């Protein structure tokens, strides 16, 4: 029996004990994961520095900060996410208890990626733990230092049987994929995603595929080019361009191409100085194989910014290519490196056509002050996400589902979406053994009269949420009416009392005034008040 088989068997056995079902246990594991991130921040940063030459603060910003936010959100909202979810009823089921109950899927496999080895591996784990699953964690072998730290340190904080880390290369991953899981979550390339899906299909195992593709970026000639290019420069060259949601290429009119180039040049200098190679916050290509692949993509294109490289350090300078065409080599695959091609189009019509002639991307970016133009791009294109006037930032919004469509992936995660992705949403209907006469219309013999009742009872939907809101509104209106009436009575009494005290004092008037004052005080203080004559 292989190591991978043994690990999966232990996880299944541990899951079958039911220890992950209580929310308290899940929260304890999530808190332990948070403690791991907090206490091992230096180990994580050192590993990422050796893998990708990322700075300590850069690692915190792009790897662990969002992870901490996801953990905190899951801890805070877990009771709400895991609670039964009432649904609308029809007249036939109005007396029944009808709801959706989230339940754990079982044992899941999470295959991480190398470009953000901590964020894209452990953020899905947050959802898996929150939903009550056991999870096998397979970090990418392409970022070996991060994988080693994860393998050595994570078991010191999480349950070793329920959340084991399995390291290794292609053969180990293939062996894992031969095992039967209840869900497979993969982050990486579309080519490998197809192999993962094919392996999962042997067991009818559902998959989440977080892939990539060539995400276009259209720049409207009427926008603030300085701001737009600054944000695009940041989004493209962070992590040395090795980001699945980085702008892959720019679409703009030829009249602004040179200005776009100059604004990007200024931003590169601002962010990374005149010599990015020596700048702490500019990373490196992950290995020499990817270095050679990215360098080959530039062949046949005109370099207007950058282009310098050093294979010994896997360094490629921030690079911009101009006058690129659809047939250029750089346009035949996802770049996944610090190379930004510019393709000129006649306007938004041609830009939309260009986007739609290709695979659906993970993101479509559009920079324009014209909301009508932005809405048109939303309406006439399809992608995992759309961002207007910024790059990357949707990844940090936990309320937004993060994922692709078509060739850029399937399924989504982040926040509650992670919990749902790793849960089975079980339909539940609890009926009592009473009111059997109502069920007669469904029993044979079927008659026209019974069909009339069936049509009425089954097709009439009851929106209980709306009814509750209406009932609350009616109750609030009734309470308001009572309060207004009380105020009016009190005001009348106060007015009469003031008028009476202004008159000459007589014994009869005094009695009347004292009675009024006593009545007023009783309403205000709800207790007896002695009155002296």
């Amino acid at each position: 029996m292989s190591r991978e088989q043994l690990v999966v068997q232990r996880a299944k056995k541990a899951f079958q004990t039911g220890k992950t079902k209580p929310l308290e246990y899940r929260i304890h594991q999530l808190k332990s994961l948070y403690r791991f991130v907090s206490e091992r921040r230096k180990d994580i940063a050192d590993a990422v520095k050796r893998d990708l030459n990322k700075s300590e603060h850069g690692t915190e910003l792009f790897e662990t900060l969002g992870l901490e936010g996801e953990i905190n959100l899951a801890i805070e909202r877990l009771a709400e996410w895991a609670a039964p979810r009432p649904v609308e009823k029809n007249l036939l089921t109005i007396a029944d208890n009808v709801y959706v109950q989230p339940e754990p899927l079982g044992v899941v496999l999470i295959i991480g990626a190398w470009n953000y080895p901590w964020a894209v591996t452990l953020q899905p784990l947050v959802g898996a733990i929150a939903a009550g699953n056991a999870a096998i964690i397979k970090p990418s072998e392409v970022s070996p230092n991060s994988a080693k730290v994860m393998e050595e340190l994570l078991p010191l904080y999480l349950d070793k049987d329920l959340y084991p880390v399995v390291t290794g290369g292609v053969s180990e991953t293939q062996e894992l994929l031969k095992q039967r899981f209840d869900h497979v979550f993969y982050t990486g390339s579309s080519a490998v995603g197809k192999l993962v899906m094919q392996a999962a299909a042997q067991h009818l195992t559902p998959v989440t595929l977080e892939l990539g593709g060539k995400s276009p970026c259209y720049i409207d000639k009427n926008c603030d080019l300085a701001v737009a290019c600054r944000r695009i420069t940041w989004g493209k060259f962070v992590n040395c361009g090795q980001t699945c949601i980085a702008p892959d290429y720019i679409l703009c009119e030829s009249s602004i191409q040179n200005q776009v180039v100059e604004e990007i040049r200024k931003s590169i200098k601002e962010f990374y100085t005149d010599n990015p190679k020596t700048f702490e916050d500019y990373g490196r290509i992950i290995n020499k194989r990817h270095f050679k692949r990215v360098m080959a993509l530039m062949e046949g294109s005109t370099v207007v910014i950058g282009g310098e490289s050093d294979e010994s350090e896997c360094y490629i300078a921030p690079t911009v290519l101009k006058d690129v065409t659809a047939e250029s080599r750089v346009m035949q695959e996802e770049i996944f490196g610090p190379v930004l091609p510019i393709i000129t189009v006649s306007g938004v019509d041609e830009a939309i056509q260009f986007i739609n002639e290709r695979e659906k991307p993970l993101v479509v970016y559009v920079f324009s002050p014209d909301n009508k133009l932005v809405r048109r791009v939303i309406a006439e294109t399809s992608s995992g996400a759309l961002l207007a006037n910024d790059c990357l930032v949707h990844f940090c919004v936990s309320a937004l589902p993060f994922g692709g469509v078509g060739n850029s992936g399937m399924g989504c995660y982040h926040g509650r979406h992670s919990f749902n992705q790793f849960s089975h949403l079980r339909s539940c209907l609890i009926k009592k053994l009473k009111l059997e006469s109502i069920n007669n219309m469904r029993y044979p013999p079927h008659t026209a009269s019974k069909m009339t009742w069936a049509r009425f009872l089954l097709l009439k939907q009851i929106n209980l949420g709306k009814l509750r809101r209406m009932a609350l509104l009616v109750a609030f209106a009734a309470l308001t009416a009572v309060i207004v009436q009380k105020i009016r009575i009190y005001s009348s009494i106060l007015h009469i009392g003031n008028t009476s005290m202004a008159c000459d004092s007589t014994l009869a008037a005094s009695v009347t005034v004292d009675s009024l004052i006593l009545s007023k005080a009783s309403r205000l203080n709800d207790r007896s008040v002695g009155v002296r004559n």
Side-chain angles (χ1 to χ4, degrees):
M1 187 176 290
S2 68
R3 177 187 63 145
E4 290 74 23
Q5 283 179 297
L6 288 171
V7 168
V8 174
Q9 282 192 3
R10 280 200 303 270
K12 287 183 177 180
K13 187 176 180 180
F15 175 78
Q16 288 167 359
T17 65
K19 67 193 299 185
T20 66
K21 289 289 184 74
L23 300 190
E24 295 78 11
Y25 181 82
R26 304 182 202 180
I27 289 173
H28 173 72
Q29 292 297 309
L30 288 170
K31 288 182 176 178
S32 296
L33 182 59
Y34 187 91
R35 194 159 52 85
F36 164 73
V37 175
S38 300
E39 294 178 2
R40 300 295 182 170
R41 202 181 305 277
K42 183 68 165 59
D43 298 288
I44 293 171
D46 289 345
V48 176
K49 178 68 174 179
R50 293 194 297 273
D51 285 329
L52 290 152
N53 196 47
K54 197 178 293 184
S55 69
E56 182 177 349
H57 294 307
T59 297
E60 183 176 0
L61 180 61
F62 293 107
E63 296 275 6
T64 60
L65 194 61
L67 177 58
E68 291 175 36
E70 287 285 306
I71 297 171
N72 285 333
L73 180 66
I75 292 171
E76 179 184 343
R77 299 285 182 84
L78 183 55
E80 173 192 335
W81 295 347
R85 305 174 188 181
V87 298
E88 292 183 11
K89 306 177 185 180
N90 55 33
L91 287 174
L92 187 64
T93 59
I94 192 160
D96 304 330
N97 192 10
V98 186
Y99 59 93
V100 172
Q101 178 63 63
E103 65 177 19
L105 290 173
V107 180
V108 304
L109 172 63
I110 298 172
I111 305 176
W114 54 262
N115 58 326
Y116 292 91
W118 296 91
V120 299
T121 305
L122 297 189
Q123 283 198 21
L125 178 63
V126 173
I129 294 174
N133 300 284
I136 312 297
I137 305 147
K138 172 59 181 68
S140 174
E141 72 280 5
V142 181
S143 49
N145 296 287
S146 294
K148 187 172 185 294
V149 170
M150 198 177 296
E151 179 187 32
E152 291 177 354
L153 299 183
L154 192 58
L156 302 178
Y157 293 82
L158 298 182
D159 188 297
K160 299 179 183 64
D161 294 329
L162 285 167
Y163 313 109
V165 178
V166 177
T167 57
V170 174
S171 61
E172 287 80 6
T173 304
Q174 289 175 338
E175 183 63 29
L176 276 174
L177 287 170
K178 290 177 183 177
Q179 313 309 311
R180 182 167 191 157
F181 291 95
D182 297 292
H183 195 93
V184 175
F185 191 108
Y186 168 76
T187 303
S189 69
S190 298
V192 177
K194 293 175 183 177
L195 299 176
V196 170
M197 192 172 183
Q198 185 177 14
Q202 302 303 311
H203 302 291
L204 293 180
T205 298
V207 297
T208 300
L209 301 179
E210 295 293 338
L211 309 177
K214 297 182 76 64
S215 295
C217 178
Y218 175 69
I219 305 177
D220 178 15
K221 65 180 179 181
N222 296 315
C223 77
D224 186 330
L225 292 182
V227 172
C229 292
R230 195 168 189 262
R231 294 178 183 181
I232 293 167
T233 301
W234 171 74
K236 177 62 182 182
F237 298 112
V238 69
N239 201 35
C240 205
Q242 299 165 116
T243 306
C244 61
I245 51 175
D248 192 86
Y249 59 93
I250 288 175
L251 296 170
C252 68
E253 294 184 32
S254 58
S255 61
I256 64 169
Q257 181 178 210
N258 290 335
Q259 190 177 351
V260 166
V261 169
E262 290 310 310
E263 292 297 341
I264 292 175
R265 191 191 306 275
K266 292 177 187 175
S267 296
I268 290 173
K269 182 177 180 180
E270 176 190 352
F271 295 160
Y272 304 115
T273 74
D274 287 322
N275 188 5
K277 187 176 182 181
T278 61
F279 189 65
E280 182 185 20
D281 282 314
Y282 188 73
R284 295 294 185 270
I285 300 299
I286 186 68
N287 57 33
K288 291 187 178 181
R289 181 172 69 85
H290 282 280
F291 171 88
K292 292 176 180 177
R293 180 190 61 82
V294 175
M295 290 299 296
L297 292 177
M298 291 190 277
E299 293 176 2
S301 297
T302 303
V303 175
V304 288
I305 299 176
E308 301 85 8
S309 65
D310 183 345
E311 184 175 350
S312 66
E313 291 189 20
C314 290
Y315 167 78
I316 301 176
T319 300
V320 177
L321 310 177
K322 101 183 258 196
D323 297 326
V324 175
T325 68
E327 292 72 34
S328 299
R329 186 169 180 179
V330 75
M331 292 302 297
Q332 305 314 307
E333 63 179 81
E334 183 180 6
I335 297 168
F336 223 65
V339 178
L340 181 58
I342 301 177
I343 298 175
T344 57
V345 291
S346 58
V348 68
D349 291 342
E350 188 179 349
I352 290 173
Q353 181 182 351
F354 190 93
I355 293 168
N356 289 338
E357 286 173 348
R358 284 152 183 80
E359 296 283 3
K360 293 180 180 180
L362 194 52
V363 196
V364 167
Y365 294 108
V366 54
F367 284 80
S368 174
D370 185 350
N371 289 332
K372 185 177 179 181
L373 185 148
V374 172
R375 287 195 298 270
R376 184 182 170 195
V377 175
I378 293 173
E380 297 182 20
T381 63
S382 178
S383 59
L386 182 138
L387 265 71
N389 301 318
D390 211 342
C391 295
L392 311 188
V393 294
H394 66 299
F395 186 85
C396 64
V397 182
S398 294
L400 287 175
F402 181 83
V405 59
N407 205 60
S408 58
M410 60 181 68
C412 60
Y413 71 119
H414 284 181
R416 184 172 184 148
H417 306 288
S418 297
F419 179 89
N420 288 343
Q421 192 79 142
F422 286 104
S423 297
H424 169 56
L425 302 181
R426 191 180 193 183
S427 300
C428 298
L429 188 151
I430 314 301
K431 186 182 284 288
K432 296 180 180 178
L433 291 171
K434 297 179 180 179
L435 302 174
E436 181 64 6
S437 59
I438 296 177
N439 295 321
N440 285 337
M441 61 87 185
R442 73 187 187 190
Y443 299 142
H446 303 302
T447 64
S449 175
K450 287 182 177 180
M451 278 303 302
T452 300
W453 276 108
R455 180 172 292 276
F456 175 71
L457 292 172
L458 292 173
L459 299 185
K460 187 67 176 177
Q461 296 292 322
I462 304 299
N463 189 332
L464 292 180
K466 186 177 181 180
L467 289 178
R468 289 190 191 98
R469 289 192 294 272
M470 290 178 63
L472 284 172
L473 188 61
V474 170
F476 180 75
L479 179 62
T480 302
V482 170
I483 293 173
V484 169
Q485 185 66 20
K486 293 284 187 182
I487 292 173
R488 285 177 178 172
I489 294 172
Y490 173 74
S491 298
S492 298
I493 293 172
L494 191 62
H495 175 71
I496 294 171
N498 290 337
T499 302
S500 299
M501 285 188 287
C503 299
D504 292 333
S505 178
T506 62
L507 180 60
S510 296
V511 172
T512 303
V513 170
D514 288 347
S515 298
L516 290 169
I517 293 172
L518 180 60
S519 175
K520 179 181 69 175
S522 297
R523 290 179 182 276
L524 291 173
N525 302 312
D526 196 26
R527 64 174 182 266
S528 299
V529 178
V531 180
R532 295 181 181 178
N533 291 327

